[in-house]
Amino acid sequence: MRPIIGFWREFRTAFEKSLEGMRSDEFLMAWKGSAARTKRYEEHVLPEVAQQMGLRFKKEEFKVDYTMCEVDSSGNAVPLVFVESENNAQSAGHEIRKLACLHAPLKVLVVCAEWSNEPGDWGHRGYRKRLTDEWAGQINAHNAVWPSASVTGVIVAEWNRTLRYYSQALGPRGEIVDPHECFFDRDIKQ
């Protein structure tokens, strides 16, 4: 079994590698709407991540958007990563609660949000702190009742002046265990 924080970093690196391989026109197509973004993750990004990690990619297993499984010698697929994709970060709390109820070493939320807190990016200074605090509280509350040593990774897509992807990972008590900030920043003309 891989160390959990290393497992998260392997996932994030594979996600970044998949983004790096996309052309500008593919980003433009994906950002035409929520369904197009979800389709891009479902048909290209996440299958590539699973392949790079040596896992089998599955959709809508256990009412979870995506699952990545290790397959044993008998063909049993054991979930190691659960992924929920939500286009509206303001309502992603239910996705975090769902992930917190599942047992796997890694759970990942992929979401769109006004995340940056850089002056001038957003008038309200971004939603990073408020959403991180909300999600951390939910993870901690679930873990207090049903302990799990898992990591919950969060990947946030944001398109303002440029298309950016941010990431962070939260430990079992909601503490930030990997504060990796912006890992992808590309100027794509709309």
Side-chain angles (χ1 to χ4, degrees):
M1 184 64 196
R2 303 165 181 155
I4 294 175
I5 193 68
F7 197 47
W8 154 247
R9 290 180 180 147
E10 183 181 356
F11 181 96
R12 187 187 39 74
T13 298
F15 195 96
E16 180 179 2
K17 185 176 178 183
S18 181
L19 292 177
E20 291 290 344
M22 287 174 59
R23 300 180 318 269
S24 293
D25 64 308
E26 292 172 317
F27 281 110
L28 288 170
M29 181 63 73
W31 282 82
K32 285 187 184 243
S34 301
R37 248 187 327 275
T38 299
K39 183 177 179 181
R40 187 63 165 159
Y41 292 138
E42 183 177 302
E43 293 180 359
H44 300 282
V45 176
L46 294 172
E48 290 174 13
V49 170
Q51 182 180 23
Q52 289 177 45
M53 295 178 71
L55 301 173
R56 179 184 294 167
F57 178 74
K58 297 176 132 188
K59 299 185 302 187
E60 295 293 341
E61 187 160 276
F62 313 117
K63 296 293 185 183
V64 176
D65 290 340
Y66 314 108
T67 307
M68 296 179 189
C69 303
E70 185 171 79
V71 181
D72 71 9
S73 59
S74 299
N76 296 308
V78 178
L80 295 182
V81 184
F82 289 112
V83 181
E84 281 292 329
S85 178
E86 177 65 43
N87 285 298
N88 181 356
Q90 306 297 333
S91 64
H94 72 282
E95 304 292 356
I96 289 291
R97 289 181 53 241
K98 182 190 305 185
L99 291 170
C101 291
L102 297 168
H103 188 71
L106 180 59
K107 303 146 188 198
V108 179
L109 172 66
V110 180
V111 68
C112 295
E114 296 172 356
W115 197 251
S116 171
N117 57 11
E118 295 297 318
D121 277 354
W122 307 107
H124 52 74
R125 302 280 293 176
Y127 296 119
R128 176 190 320 212
K129 176 159 179 29
R130 184 177 66 75
L131 291 173
T132 298
D133 289 350
E134 175 188 330
W135 299 336
Q138 290 172 321
I139 292 166
N140 185 41
H142 279 81
N143 197 64
V145 174
W146 193 254
S148 171
S150 63
V151 167
T152 303
V154 178
I155 294 178
V156 181
E158 170 191 75
W159 198 332
N160 190 350
R161 291 183 299 274
T162 62
L163 175 60
R164 296 179 190 151
Y165 279 80
Y166 300 85
S167 72
Q168 64 183 6
L170 305 170
R173 294 286 182 196
E175 73 282 15
I176 295 176
V177 295
D178 187 13
H180 194 277
E181 292 291 323
C182 181
F183 68 89
F184 181 89
D185 191 344
R186 187 177 291 174
D187 187 17
I188 299 173
K189 303 298 180 215
Q190 293 191 33

